[in-house]
Amino acid sequence: MQDELIRIPRTEYPQRWEKVQAVMRDQKLDIILAYSDDRATYGNAYARYYTDLQTHFEPVLVMFVTDREPVILTGPETDGYAKERAVVREVKVLAELAAEDEDYPFSEVESLKEIIRQYAGGEPKRIGLSARVHMGAELYEALLRAYPYAELVDTDQFLAPLRGIKSPGEIAVLCRAYEIANAGMHAAIAAVRPGITEREIAAEAEYVMRKKGCEGYGIDPIVSSGPNAVHVLARTTTRMIEENDIVVITLAPRYEGYHGACGRTILVGNPGEKAEEAVKAMIRAQNLCAENLVPGNVGSSVEELGRKVMKEAGYEKNFMYSGLHSVGVIEFEPPIFGPSSSTVIEKDMVISVDIPLFEADISGMRMEDGYLITETGARKLTDSPQWIKK
C-alpha cells in the first residue's frame, strides 16, 4: 500500500512570491530571473520552490515582477507539462531555450526581450539574477545583448536565506523525505556483507526509497568501500566488499522537492582498533552537536564543538567542510553553519549535522543525521544506529 501523498499546500506559494517581491522593492529591482535546470544537486531549487515545477531536459527561468504572480520561461518541450503541473498560470516558450537544431512549428516562441517587455512594462534598469553561476553562457550572453546597459544584481544572497525557516507544510514533507532516507539506509545496512558490490548495496537502498515515493536524489546514492572511501566525494562502483572493510553510505532522497540526508559508516569484520576509535569519535562529535542545536545558539559555535572532538581524536584536518547545514529543496543549502558563519539557529529550521573524516591515513568516514529544531532543542529525524559493526 502506498503511503499517503504529502505535498506543499498550493496556498503557500503566493506567500513565497510576496517575500521575493519585498526583496525586489527593497533592492529596487525591476525583475528577477531565477534559473533552474535538471542538475540533481542544485538545479531544481528555484523552479520547484516557487512554482512546484520539476525541471528536466530543458532549463527554466522563473521571472518575478513586482505587481503580479511569476511567469515561467522555458523551452517548447516543457510548455505543456509546466502548464499542467506548475502553480503559476503563465508559461512562455523562450527562444533562447529552444534547441537550435530542432523545429517547433506549432509553438509560440518568443525572445527574452519580447517576454520581458510584456510583463515588466518597459526596459528594466536593474535585473536580479538567481543561480547565475549555473546559467549557461548562451543564455547569459543573450541577456547581456538584450540589456547591455542594465545593472545585473546577484540575488541569491537575498533569496536563499528566505528558505531557512520551514513552514508546517515543508516540515511535513521533509519528515516524509527523512522517512524515505531511513528506509533506504536500513536496506543498505542490511545488504552489507563480504562478496556484495557497492552498486548492489545502492540498488537495495534505491529500490526501497523509490517504492516509498522518492522522486530523485539531491546527490546520487554513494556507497564507497575500502580505498574508494578515502575522498569526500566518491562514486558507487562495482568493487566487491571484502572482509575487514569499511563501508561508507550516504543517501539523500528527494520527495516532493525536499530532501532527507543520512550518512553512516559500517565496519565489516575487524578493520582494526584505529578505525573503531575513529567511528566512536564521530559519534561523540555528532551527539554533542545535536545536544546543542537549540534556538539562540550560533550555528558555527555548535559546529565548533564537533570540530574540537575530532581534533582531540587526531582528525582536525580531516574535518574538511562545514559540518552543519540546512536541508530543503537543496540537500546542502543555506544557511550553512561553518566556521565563518554568524547565523543563529532558529525554531523550525531543519539542520543536518554531517561529521566528516576524509583524506586521512585510514579509510574515509561520514556520520550524518537530520534534526528538526523545536522550541527547546532538536528532534532527530534519522533513526539508523550510529555504531554499526557486521
Side-chain angles (χ1 to χ4, degrees):
M1 182 177 177
Q2 271 196 330
D3 292 326
E4 177 190 0
L5 179 64
I6 299 172
R7 297 183 65 178
I8 302 297
R10 293 215 152 191
T11 53
E12 188 167 317
Y13 290 91
Q15 300 169 26
R16 299 177 179 184
W17 305 338
E18 289 171 3
K19 291 179 181 179
V20 176
Q21 290 167 338
V23 168
M24 294 177 68
R25 288 189 292 270
D26 184 61
Q27 299 299 318
K28 297 180 173 54
L29 298 170
D30 299 304
I31 62 171
I32 288 179
L33 298 173
Y35 177 81
S36 290
D37 59 27
D38 57 6
R39 275 174 282 195
T41 307
Y42 301 101
N44 267 271
Y46 283 114
R48 197 66 188 274
Y49 187 76
Y50 288 110
T51 75
D52 198 27
L53 177 67
Q54 294 184 63
T55 50
H56 187 67
F57 184 63
E58 294 178 321
V60 167
L61 285 174
V62 181
M63 182 175 72
F64 293 92
V65 293
T66 54
D67 57 353
R68 59 178 300 147
E69 70 178 41
V71 181
I72 288 174
L73 316 182
T74 188
E77 296 190 33
T78 304
D79 182 25
Y81 177 72
K83 288 175 179 174
E84 176 187 324
R85 168 74 189 198
V87 175
V88 303
R89 291 168 291 184
E90 300 240 23
V91 179
K92 291 287 186 176
V93 177
L94 182 61
E96 286 82 357
L97 295 181
E100 289 184 6
D101 55 352
E102 291 207 45
D103 295 318
Y104 299 96
F106 306 108
S107 296
E108 184 181 353
V109 182
E110 301 173 83
S111 72
L112 184 62
K113 193 160 188 175
E114 289 171 330
I115 295 172
I116 289 177
R117 187 182 297 119
Q118 292 174 42
Y119 292 94
E123 297 282 303
K125 295 181 174 58
R126 281 173 59 84
I127 300 174
L129 292 181
S130 291
R132 176 170 58 177
V133 67
H134 304 301
M135 190 180 292
E138 289 185 4
L139 179 58
Y140 184 68
E141 289 170 357
L143 179 64
L144 294 179
R145 287 194 300 272
Y147 301 106
Y149 304 110
E151 182 181 359
L152 303 183
V153 180
D154 179 5
T155 46
D156 288 318
Q157 59 184 314
F158 306 117
L159 300 193
L162 298 178
R163 303 198 300 264
I165 307 297
K166 303 303 191 282
S167 69
E170 289 180 290
I171 290 170
V173 169
L174 278 158
C175 285
R176 176 57 60 84
Y178 271 97
E179 289 174 9
I180 294 170
N182 290 336
M185 185 59 74
H186 285 297
I189 293 168
V192 173
R193 65 181 185 276
I196 193 171
T197 67
E198 294 171 354
R199 287 184 182 168
E200 287 176 305
I201 296 168
E204 295 294 329
E206 290 195 62
Y207 175 71
V208 170
M209 292 190 293
R210 286 290 190 180
K211 283 192 70 175
K212 289 187 69 66
C214 168
E215 68 183 37
Y217 306 97
I219 53 174
D220 286 344
I222 299 174
V223 179
S224 56
S225 61
N228 291 348
V230 172
H231 308 295
V232 175
L233 291 178
R235 308 307 300 152
T236 304
T237 73
T238 56
R239 182 183 185 274
M240 191 173 291
I241 308 303
E242 300 176 357
E243 291 284 355
N244 306 323
D245 252 347
I246 294 172
V247 180
V248 183
I249 301 173
T250 306
L251 302 178
R254 185 171 64 246
Y255 171 80
E256 291 300 306
Y258 288 76
H259 298 87
C262 185
R264 286 294 181 269
T265 300
I266 297 100
L267 305 177
V268 181
N270 182 19
E273 183 179 353
K274 189 171 185 178
E276 292 191 5
E277 291 303 314
V279 174
K280 290 175 182 177
M282 295 172 68
I283 293 172
R284 291 195 302 273
Q286 173 70 236
N287 294 340
L288 183 58
C289 287
E291 291 167 9
N292 287 274
L293 290 174
V294 178
N297 283 351
V298 176
S300 57
S301 298
V302 177
E303 196 239 27
E304 176 59 27
L305 297 173
R307 285 187 179 275
K308 184 177 179 181
V309 171
M310 297 308 291
K311 179 180 180 179
E312 291 172 349
Y315 299 108
E316 177 185 14
K317 294 182 179 180
N318 311 108
F319 198 128
M320 297 183 65
Y321 50 74
S322 299
L324 271 69
H325 61 82
S326 182
V327 182
V329 290
I330 300 173
E331 183 272 332
F332 189 99
E333 75 173 9
I336 310 295
F337 305 93
S340 63
S341 171
S342 59
T343 303
V344 173
I345 294 170
E346 298 183 60
K347 179 180 177 293
D348 293 334
M349 286 182 168
V350 174
I351 293 176
S352 183
V353 179
D354 180 0
I355 306 298
L357 194 167
F358 292 104
E359 308 293 345
D361 58 354
I362 59 173
S363 171
M365 301 181 182
R366 173 177 283 116
M367 184 70 61
E368 182 171 11
D369 289 293
Y371 302 86
L372 170 63
I373 308 304
T374 69
E375 291 181 354
T376 58
R379 175 162 71 89
K380 193 175 183 183
L381 300 176
T382 37
D383 66 1
S384 293
Q386 294 175 318
W387 175 257
I388 308 168
K389 188 173 182 182
K390 303 188 72 174

